[in-house]
Amino acid sequence: MAVVETVRGPVELGSLGQTLMHEHVFVLSTEHVQNYGSDWWDEEFRVADAIAKLNALYDKGVHTIVDPTVWGLGRYIPRMQRIAAQTPVNIIVAAGLYVYEELPQQYAYRGPGLMLDIPEPMVTDFSRDITEGIAGTAVKAAFLKCALETPEPSPGVERIARAVARAHVETGAPITVHTSGPHQTGRTAVRIFAEEGVDLTKVVIGHAGDSNDLDYLTELADTGVLLGMDRFGLDVFNPGTERVKTIALMAGRGYAGSMVLAHDANCFIDYFGGAHDAARPVALPNWHYEHITDDVLPALLRYGVTQAQIDTMMIENPVRYFTRKAS
Ligand SMILES: [Zn+2]
C-alpha cells in the first residue's frame, strides 16, 4: 500500500483526492509573535479560524493541502496537530529552511570544514524530520523545501539547496523549491539539483506560475520537474487571468502532466501584523483557499482546459510526486 505521511499519520495516496500543492496554514515568526504580537496574536481564535477555513475547503471538494511551512516561515507541529485533529483535510508537512539571503547562525559554524567539523547538520536535521519525526512528535515530514529567490544565490542559500538535495537523495522525499518568476531561478534550482543527483520528476518549481514566459516554462517542464502554478490570488505577482491563460496554453502544448495548482495562501500571515484581518481582503481579495475551486477551475474550463486535465493537475500529479520509488 503506497502511503504518504500527513500530520495525522500515513494516508493512502489513492485517497488524497483533489490536492492543493502549496498552501500554508500559518506564516508566523515565533520571535516576532513573542515580542510584538501580544496585541494581535490570539492562539485559540486563530486555531479555530484555521479549522473553519479548512473544513470549508473540504466541503468544496479539496481533501488535501501540502504545506511547505518550514523554519523561516514558522513551522510549529504541536499547533498543526491540534488543527489536524479537528478537520478531515489531510495536511502534508515539510522539512527544510526558507531564507532568501542569509544562512541562520545556527548552521553557520557547524558543518564540513567549519569550526565544528561535523557532517552537514542540515541533512541530518531534515532527514530525521522525514524518517523519525519532527521535534519529538510522531509527525513526519513528507517533502523538502528551500528557496532560490535571487539570480545569484548566496553561499549560504546554495548550501541549503544542496543540503535539501542530499536529504532527498538519502530519503527519497520529494522537493518543493521557492523560485522567482521574474529572475527565472527555476533554472538555478534545476542546475543545482541535477548536480546533486536529484530525481527531477520529484521536484516542484514553486511559483513557476508567476511567469507567463512559455519558453521558460517549457524548458523547465522538459527536464521532468513539476511547475508550481501555485499563487492564484496573488495578483500582485501575476494577474489571475494571465495565470489561467498560461496554464491553458501549457495544457494545450501537452503539459498538463507537468503542472500542479495552489494559492500559496494561509489562514493568517504576520507580514500584515495587527492589520491582517482588515487589510488583507482589500489588498488581496482572492487570496484564500477556495479561489481555485470557485473561480479558477471554471475559468480554465472556459479557456479549453478539459476536466481530465484538471484532474491530472489536481489529483494525479500530486500522487505521482509523493509516490516513492521502490528502493
Ligand atoms: Zn509559500
Side-chain angles (χ1 to χ4, degrees), residues 51-68:
I51 293 164
K53 286 175 175 156
L54 287 162
N55 287 344
L57 179 66
Y58 188 88
D59 290 343
K60 289 269 170 84
V62 175
H63 291 183
T64 303
I65 66 164
V66 176
D67 182 346

Side-chain angles (χ1 to χ4, degrees), residues 28 33 44 140 216 266 295 308 322:
L28 195 63
V33 169
E44 296 308 312
K140 292 178 181 172
Y216 170 62
N266 51 68
D295 308 308
F322 283 112

Side-chain angles (χ1 to χ4, degrees), residues 22 24 68 73 98 145 207 264:
H22 188 131
H24 304 270
L73 290 162
Y98 178 86
K145 166 79 180 288
H207 318 326
D264 195 9

Side-chain angles (χ1 to χ4, degrees), residues 198-313:
V198 167
D199 174 357
L200 294 177
T201 68
K202 298 296 180 192
V203 174
V204 169
I205 300 296
H207 318 326
D210 285 353
S211 174
N212 302 309
D213 181 340
L214 298 189
D215 291 339
Y216 170 62
L217 297 173
T218 302
E219 176 193 321
L220 288 178
D222 285 343
T223 69
V225 299
L226 287 161
L227 306 173
M229 314 308 267
D230 55 14
R231 278 181 156 175
F232 276 101
L234 280 171
D235 292 359
V236 286
F237 296 121
N238 191 12
T241 47
E242 295 302 312
R243 293 179 188 276
V244 164
K245 270 191 235 171
T246 295
I247 291 175
L249 288 168
M250 288 297 288
R253 289 184 177 194
Y255 287 100
S258 301
M259 295 185 282
V260 291
L261 307 183
H263 310 88
D264 195 9
N266 51 68
C267 300
F268 183 87
I269 182 165
D270 68 354
Y271 297 4
F272 295 94
H276 178 274
D277 290 350
R280 179 173 168 161
V282 179
L284 298 162
N286 290 322
W287 198 39
H288 58 79
Y289 291 156
E290 297 172 50
H291 175 48
I292 286 178
T293 313
D294 289 350
D295 308 308
V296 174
L297 298 185
L300 286 171
L301 291 166
R302 282 198 302 277
Y303 274 87
V305 175
T306 65
Q307 185 59 48
Q309 288 172 322
I310 288 171
D311 291 345
T312 297
M313 294 187 283

Side-chain angles (χ1 to χ4, degrees), residues 124 126-133 140-141 170-171 324:
T124 310
F126 303 160
S127 294
R128 189 178 50 234
D129 286 352
I130 292 161
T131 57
E132 293 176 28
K140 292 178 181 172
E170 246 179 41
T171 65
R324 300 281 183 92

Side-chain angles (χ1 to χ4, degrees), residues 161-162 165-166 169 191-198:
R162 292 189 185 278
R166 286 168 201 169
V169 170
R191 175 178 59 78
I192 291 173
F193 292 158
E195 285 170 6
E196 296 291 339
V198 167

